[in-house]
Amino acid sequence: RLRSLGEKLGKNIRSQGFLTVRENCKTMSLRARANVRLPPEVNRVLYVRNLPFKITAEEMYDIFGKYGPIRQIRVGKTGDTRGTAFVVYEDIYDAKNAVDHLSGFNVCNRYLIVLYYQQAKLSKKMDTKKKREEIDRMKEKHNIDDEEEEEADSKKK
């Protein structure tokens, strides 16, 4: 009965061009967000490290879902990616809020490391790894050992 009375009052207030308290807070929050300038590294995709190996996607949704709607969560399953995950939020401000609140959060006696995903850094690491592999292949092809390389460097000096 109280709810229907509140709904009637809300319709009356809206019909006169006023906003309800909840709508007013929501619009104020959106205006405040519009005025905030975020650092360039902030984005909707988070990279989470130091997760318990047995964590499930549902538990991840429980932890990260408190900060806003989530588009996707990918939990690492292979040996290289165990203990890591990617969390994609619908809104960049929700992602920022999650980073601010969940960095250092204790889950099963492990402190989470929550970072913004940065494609440029990852691709740079991959490029370095590929170059190292190419150098190793060339050394093997031309029968060059690391000792021979060090000798050649010392003769140049």
Side-chain angles (χ1 to χ4, degrees):
R1 184 177 169 123
L2 285 175
R3 180 177 284 177
S4 65
L5 181 62
E7 289 172 0
K8 286 179 186 176
L9 284 174
K11 287 179 185 175
N12 257 347
I13 290 171
R14 270 188 236 102
S15 68
Q16 294 174 2
F18 294 101
L19 298 174
T20 63
V21 173
R22 181 177 291 153
E23 291 169 334
N24 197 21
C25 287
K26 195 173 186 179
T27 56
M28 287 175 62
S29 150
L30 290 174
R31 260 190 248 131
R33 283 184 174 185
N35 293 333
V36 173
R37 185 169 176 117
L38 296 173
E41 71 271 5
V42 175
N43 64 51
R44 295 179 314 124
V45 183
L46 305 181
Y47 177 61
V48 186
R49 294 178 25 209
N50 205 29
L51 285 167
F53 291 159
K54 305 259 185 201
I55 197 161
T56 64
E58 291 78 29
E59 292 169 329
M60 292 287 292
Y61 275 100
D62 288 343
I63 295 168
F64 286 86
K66 293 176 183 173
Y67 299 97
I70 295 172
R71 180 171 289 183
Q72 185 179 45
I73 291 182
R74 294 282 179 138
V75 180
K77 301 287 183 198
T78 67
D80 293 348
T81 60
R82 284 177 65 189
T84 64
F86 289 97
V87 179
V88 183
Y89 278 92
E90 293 287 337
D91 185 41
I92 193 168
Y93 292 98
D94 295 334
K96 182 181 183 320
N97 195 16
V99 168
D100 292 344
H101 288 92
L102 292 176
S103 290
F105 186 73
N106 190 334
V107 177
C108 297
N109 294 323
R110 297 181 72 113
Y111 294 97
L112 298 183
I113 300 169
V114 184
L115 307 164
Y116 297 107
Y117 174 66
Q118 295 176 342
Q119 176 64 37
K121 281 190 176 181
L122 183 66
S123 61
K124 196 180 241 185
K125 287 181 182 178
M126 293 302 287
D127 288 344
T128 305
K129 186 177 179 182
K130 285 181 183 177
K131 286 178 184 177
R132 172 51 68 194
E133 289 171 357
E134 180 65 26
I135 290 170
D136 291 342
R137 274 192 300 244
M138 294 296 284
K139 284 181 181 178
E140 190 175 304
K141 180 179 175 183
H142 296 290
N143 296 325
I144 298 174
D145 292 335
D146 287 331
E147 294 171 8
E148 291 177 20
E149 191 177 326
E150 289 173 9
E151 288 176 21
D153 285 342
S154 64
K155 286 180 183 177
K156 287 179 185 177
K157 292 179 182 180

